[in-house]
Amino acid sequence: MPSSSRAEVPLVSPTVQQEIARLAALPETRTAFAWLRAEETQFAAWQLEMARIPAPPFGEKARGEWFQERFRALGLEDVCIDEVGNVFGIRHDHARQMGKQTPASQCTTLSAHIDTVFPAGTPLNVRQQGNRLYGPGVSDNGAGAAALLAVAAAFRAAKISLATPILFIGNVGEEGEGDLRGMRHIFSHTRWRDSIRYSLVLDGAGSDTIVAEALGSRRFEIIVRGPGGHSWSDFGMPNPILVLARGIHAFSQTTLPSSPKTTFNIGVIRGGTSVNSIPESASMRVDIRSTSMAEMERLEAALRFAIEQAVEEESRASERRTSSQKRSSGLSYEIVPIGNRPAGELDGNARILKVIRAVDVHLGNAAQIQRASTDANIPLSLGREAIAVGGGGVGGGAHTLQEWFDCSGRDLGLKRILLALLALAGIAE
């Protein structure tokens, strides 16, 4: 979750601050806080058990079934797995729990993605040494997923009655080429899309960030094909690698604004079979990011123009290099979208932002507003109220085999999440 900070710090609403103080003083809230402090051993056990279940992109089924079992064991209702693999469980409002027939009310969601970046077959040497957990995915998003279960368990242990329901979600498809497919499905095709009022997303470790700006990205695979040939006898034939080289050079000259921050990256290049062969094909993968949809569209247009011009230039150069007898049908190319994460920004007066700010002040927690690419991109791009926060503790080495998570201080993050949920969902009178 690469990110950057927003410098300005909004003032905390006195009214919301008083509301948070009142909620924190309730006996059931104090009971929940004490339970969260006492049950770290259980949270670490859940985190380790889950991390040992492979969940590569598009391969989250086994881990989803594990979450389904945990949701049922924690007393959540209407537990189910949808068509793409998202896992749902509801803690109903007090009236519904008492068996009263009430009209459907809007809910607050607490979600954590259950997929990892690691491909199938990655060695999962998951282990614990003291307060530290080690292994691929143990922090991203083992920390967020463990926090999801911990908070669900705390609501049950403290017997907290809610004014409106909370929907707990273990969603698929956040990482890499998953392209936020789990969260997209929730807000596009399921029965939840019109009932979600607030979205609180748990991503990674820590308690010092509030992701309130969705960093948009577009990703492309560019494939260039040619006739190929021998480097000596077929010299002069159009070369797909040269096309990519020309295109990269031209695209890299594109002017970028200082604000909004906008970036691009050529992350992968493939092509060719040997040093003495003119390749029949070559490809590259390009990542474009910005907080501005307009800037991403501008860079995409510049990329397409650069490749089109590169193909034309290499075709003309090939004609100059070869005799008329050897000229071939030439080059072709395609630009394939492989990712499209929408940008968005939370309104500075949004209630969810006021709540998390007030919670941080109450807990004495210092947190910065940041922009990043998370599951919150989807609701934020739709104008919904959403933020992403960490699951507490400290993590490092994300997306590597040396990933780690330190459980020390996890309870601060968990209290932060629980108190924010109480303010958003409300306590039944």
Side-chain angles (χ1 to χ4, degrees), residues 96-126:
R96 179 76 176 269
Q97 287 181 327
M98 298 301 291
K100 298 178 181 178
Q101 294 298 318
T102 59
S105 58
Q106 289 196 305
C107 66
T108 300
T109 67
L110 184 68
S111 67
H113 72 84
I114 64 174
D115 60 316
T116 72
V117 297
F118 302 99
T122 299
L124 300 178
N125 182 23
V126 177

Side-chain angles (χ1 to χ4, degrees), residues 2-161:
S3 59
S4 57
S5 301
R6 189 201 292 176
E8 64 268 21
V9 179
L11 296 175
V12 177
S13 163
T15 302
V16 179
Q17 193 65 63
Q18 292 170 6
E19 177 188 358
I20 296 302
R22 179 184 65 81
L23 290 170
L26 293 174
E28 54 263 52
T29 305
R30 294 200 300 270
T31 298
F33 282 179
W35 190 88
L36 290 170
R37 284 193 300 272
E39 295 297 322
E40 173 54 43
T41 301
Q42 176 62 75
F43 307 153
W46 279 334
Q47 198 165 341
L48 290 167
E49 186 177 350
M50 181 198 66
R52 293 186 177 111
I53 304 171
F58 301 94
E60 306 99 334
K61 184 174 185 294
R63 190 175 285 190
E65 291 172 346
W66 183 87
F67 261 90
Q68 184 179 42
E69 293 175 4
R70 299 288 82 70
F71 277 5
R72 285 173 176 157
L74 293 174
L76 298 181
E77 298 182 66
D78 301 333
V79 175
C80 64
I81 299 178
D82 71 10
E83 302 91 330
V84 300
N86 296 314
V87 189
F88 300 88
I90 303 175
R91 183 163 184 84
H92 283 295
D93 56 275
H94 179 68
R96 179 76 176 269
Q97 287 181 327
M98 298 301 291
K100 298 178 181 178
Q101 294 298 318
T102 59
S105 58
Q106 289 196 305
C107 66
T108 300
T109 67
L110 184 68
S111 67
H113 72 84
I114 64 174
D115 60 316
T116 72
V117 297
F118 302 99
T122 299
L124 300 178
N125 182 23
V126 177
R127 61 205 184 279
Q128 181 170 10
Q129 296 176 2
N131 284 332
R132 284 207 171 191
L133 314 181
Y134 294 89
V138 76
S139 180
D140 183 12
N141 192 29
L148 180 73
L149 297 175
V151 171
F155 274 105
R156 186 186 195 193
K159 298 181 174 61
I160 294 174
S161 297

Side-chain angles (χ1 to χ4, degrees), residues 80-380:
C80 64
I81 299 178
D82 71 10
E83 302 91 330
V84 300
N86 296 314
V87 189
F88 300 88
I90 303 175
R91 183 163 184 84
H92 283 295
D93 56 275
H94 179 68
R96 179 76 176 269
Q97 287 181 327
M98 298 301 291
K100 298 178 181 178
Q101 294 298 318
T102 59
S105 58
Q106 289 196 305
C107 66
T108 300
T109 67
L110 184 68
S111 67
H113 72 84
I114 64 174
D115 60 316
T116 72
V117 297
F118 302 99
T122 299
L124 300 178
N125 182 23
V126 177
R127 61 205 184 279
Q128 181 170 10
Q129 296 176 2
N131 284 332
R132 284 207 171 191
L133 314 181
Y134 294 89
V138 76
S139 180
D140 183 12
N141 192 29
L148 180 73
L149 297 175
V151 171
F155 274 105
R156 186 186 195 193
K159 298 181 174 61
I160 294 174
S161 297
L162 298 170
T164 62
I166 297 175
L167 176 63
F168 293 83
I169 307 172
N171 63 277
V172 298
E174 192 274 342
E175 297 284 11
E177 292 178 23
D179 202 32
L180 309 182
R181 66 188 180 92
M183 198 59 72
R184 283 182 205 275
H185 191 77
I186 291 166
F187 279 91
S188 300
H189 299 293
T190 76
R191 61 184 173 126
W192 308 115
R193 66 183 176 193
D194 295 325
S195 63
I196 296 173
R197 185 173 185 183
Y198 304 111
S199 297
L200 182 55
V201 174
L202 307 180
D203 198 337
S207 305
D208 57 349
T209 61
I210 305 166
V211 177
E213 294 182 357
L215 177 60
S217 67
R218 293 187 183 181
R219 294 167 180 171
F220 304 92
E221 181 166 30
I222 298 164
I223 306 163
V224 182
R225 297 180 178 89
H230 192 279
S231 63
W232 173 259
S233 59
D234 296 310
F235 176 74
M237 289 293 186
N239 188 321
I241 289 179
L242 288 180
V243 172
L244 293 186
R246 292 175 188 273
I248 290 170
H249 175 73
F251 180 59
S252 67
Q253 306 305 306
T254 305
T255 302
L256 300 179
S258 57
S259 179
K261 183 177 179 180
T262 302
T263 67
F264 63 82
N265 183 56
I266 315 297
V268 178
I269 296 181
R270 297 188 180 98
T273 55
S274 68
V275 70
N276 61 335
S277 300
I278 300 170
E280 294 181 82
S281 68
S283 67
M284 68 177 181
R285 292 191 170 190
V286 182
D287 175 89
I288 294 171
R289 294 181 179 234
S290 180
T291 55
S292 165
M293 296 291 284
E295 282 300 316
M296 287 196 293
E297 290 170 1
R298 185 178 69 85
L299 257 67
E300 179 184 343
L303 175 65
R304 291 180 179 276
F305 181 74
I307 297 302
E308 179 183 353
Q309 291 296 106
V311 168
E312 292 180 4
E313 289 173 9
E314 176 61 11
S315 296
R316 289 194 296 268
S318 175
E319 289 178 2
R320 293 193 296 269
R321 294 192 300 255
T322 58
S323 64
S324 59
Q325 291 85 357
K326 283 193 171 184
R327 288 177 187 166
S328 68
S329 58
L331 295 162
S332 65
Y333 74 96
E334 58 180 323
I335 301 177
V336 182
I338 58 173
N340 186 354
R341 298 186 174 211
E345 184 173 343
L346 184 64
D347 187 288
N349 290 316
R351 174 164 168 76
I352 194 171
L353 186 57
K354 292 179 179 179
V355 163
I356 196 67
R357 277 299 192 189
V359 167
D360 283 334
V361 169
H362 181 83
L363 295 176
N365 181 54
Q368 287 187 315
I369 292 181
Q370 294 189 340
R371 67 172 62 91
S373 180
T374 70
D375 280 316
N377 281 44
I378 299 301
L380 285 173

